[in-house]
Amino acid sequence: MSVLARRAMAEFVGTAFLVMAVVGSGVMASRLSPNDVGLQLLQNSVATGAALVALILALQPVSASFNPLVTLVERALGILDTPTALALIGAQFVGGMAGTVLANIMFGLDAVTLSTHQRAGGGLWLGEVVATIGLLLVIFGTIRSGRSERVAFAVGGYITAAYWFTSSTSFANPAVTVARTITDTFAGIAPASAPGFVLAQLLGGAVGLFLIRVLYPPVPAVPPSLPAPAPASASVRKVLP
């Protein structure tokens, strides 16, 4: 299997399990706590954040974006080429849909049921812009500060918190948004509401990319033509710490 095929498979599997965590925990929460929406959201957010930590830790050595916006920013920063980015984004969308279908079936629901949960309005769209900006800053800020091994915990913690401090409960992911249109459960979003969320996410992605470029400019490489610095003399080295 080629490297690109392995990466696409990782994105498919990771996004599928992420959506299963979102949708499945939403169904479980609504059944266990049918009269307490706040408790349902707590259960949903904790399960999603924990799943993100585990999935990123497991799949990061192969590919662990699980989000078309993250992949698009990687393309804009020159980390990925266009064919690779398109393959990963396609795998993310297909994986998200597969995750929703599996979650529906696991809980005895129809494999595909269009959501009737309307989510629209300026406040919700602003919440998606804010959630997306924050997610990108957390991901790329952690990586560019040389702490890529902590990305899983940073992202899991951020998403868990963003469920609560954003009005939209932080979808911040076009693949997950589209996938959630085919489940009429706690985590669902009506198909008519999805385009507004995706547009808000794209706007947040553009702002996030701008902030990443400003806050974390690339370190210029030393031109190879420059001679290497002369080694310090023995007398100088004696006084160096």
Side-chain angles (χ1 to χ4, degrees):
M1 182 178 287
S2 68
V3 173
L4 178 56
R6 289 175 58 243
R7 296 190 68 179
M9 179 63 72
E11 290 294 334
F12 172 87
V13 172
T15 310
F17 271 92
L18 170 59
V19 173
M20 277 190 276
V22 173
V23 175
S25 65
V27 175
M28 182 68 80
S30 63
R31 292 181 179 179
L32 294 177
S33 310
N35 300 315
D36 192 334
V37 178
L39 184 55
Q40 291 173 14
L41 185 62
L42 176 62
Q43 294 161 339
N44 193 206
S45 63
V46 170
T48 302
L52 266 173
V53 172
L55 291 168
I56 294 173
L57 286 175
L59 295 174
Q60 193 173 22
V62 184
S63 186
S65 297
F66 316 146
N67 188 330
L69 291 175
V70 176
T71 302
L72 286 174
V73 170
E74 289 178 324
R75 176 64 190 92
L77 295 175
I79 299 171
L80 300 176
D81 57 31
T82 299
T84 299
L86 292 176
L88 299 186
I89 290 172
Q92 291 158 358
F93 274 101
V94 176
M97 300 295 280
T100 300
V101 169
L102 288 171
N104 285 338
I105 294 172
M106 279 195 293
F107 285 92
L109 306 172
D110 291 339
V112 174
T113 303
L114 295 182
S115 175
T116 57
H117 192 167
Q118 299 290 332
R119 301 176 190 259
L124 295 181
W125 296 329
L126 178 59
E128 276 301 284
V129 173
V130 171
T132 304
I133 294 171
L135 176 61
L136 293 176
L137 286 178
V138 166
I139 293 172
F140 290 95
T142 304
I143 292 173
R144 291 203 164 199
S145 59
R147 297 172 293 174
S148 58
E149 75 283 354
R150 301 181 185 178
V151 169
F153 303 101
V155 172
Y158 174 79
I159 290 297
T160 302
Y163 259 78
W164 291 89
F165 75 75
T166 64
S167 57
S168 63
T169 67
S170 185
F171 285 49
N173 185 326
V176 171
T177 301
V178 171
R180 289 167 70 166
T181 63
I182 59 171
T183 181
D184 195 19
T185 60
F186 178 80
I189 177 173
S193 299
F197 266 55
V198 172
L199 288 175
Q201 292 158 5
L202 290 172
L203 176 58
V207 176
L209 174 61
F210 170 77
L211 291 175
I212 291 163
R213 289 188 182 278
V214 171
L215 296 175
Y216 305 97
V219 178
V222 178
S225 58
L226 292 180
S233 65
S235 60
V236 172
R237 282 197 293 267
K238 288 179 181 179
V239 301
L240 292 177

